[in-house]
Amino acid sequence: MQNATHVKNGYYWINLGDGTPYMQPHTPERVGINQINWTDVKGKPIFQEFIGVAKQGGGWVECHWPKPHGDFEFRKISYVDYFAPWNWVLGTGKYLDDIKPETGEVLSRASTIVLASLCVFVGVSIFLPSN
C-alpha cells in the first residue's frame, strides 16, 4: 500500500509498531524497510518516539523530516496515535515553516474584519443621537 489519501493541506502515514513504514506517500522507498533506528538530523530516533508516544495514548512529536522531493530536513510537528488491533502507528504532521505564512494570512483577514467592524461602530456612534 504505497499510495495515500491526501488530506487537505497535508497527508497521513502508517507505521507498524516495530518501526516499519506501512504507508508513506512521500517516501515510498521506505515502505517495508524497518526504520526503528533511523534518526533525524538532530539525532532523535523519531520512529522510536512515534511508537512510544502513540502507544501511551497518542500525542505530539516534534522532529525534523525532509519535505517531499527534497533531502534537507525541516522542523515538523506530528500527531501520532496507535491502533492496537492492527499494530499500526498512524500519524499526520505539518512543517513548522509552512505554518507561519498560513498564520499570517489568518491574522491579516482577522485584522481586516476587526478594523472594518470598528469603523462601522465608530460611524454608527457618531451619527446616532445621544440622549
Side-chain angles (χ1 to χ4, degrees), residues 24-91:
Q24 175 45 268
H26 297 301
T27 54
E29 66 276 6
R30 291 180 189 253
V31 173
I33 300 170
N34 191 287
Q35 304 286 303
I36 194 71
N37 293 318
W38 188 79
T39 60
D40 68 8
V41 295
K42 299 291 183 175
K44 180 185 262 187
I46 63 173
F47 285 85
Q48 292 175 29
E49 184 97 4
F50 288 156
I51 294 164
V53 170
K55 286 185 174 183
Q56 291 178 1
W60 297 98
V61 176
E62 188 174 329
C63 64
H64 288 76
W65 190 266
K67 288 189 176 184
H69 313 298
D71 294 326
F72 183 78
E73 294 181 14
F74 293 84
R75 283 181 63 209
K76 184 175 186 177
I77 186 79
S78 297
Y79 187 85
V80 293
D81 207 345
Y82 186 61
F83 186 67
W86 294 347
N87 192 30
W88 280 5
V89 174
L90 299 106

Side-chain angles (χ1 to χ4, degrees), residues 1-6 12-14 22-26 28 31:
M1 179 189 280
Q2 292 186 5
N3 294 327
T5 301
H6 286 261
Y12 62 90
W13 72 89
I14 302 170
Y22 182 69
M23 185 192 70
Q24 175 45 268
H26 297 301
V31 173

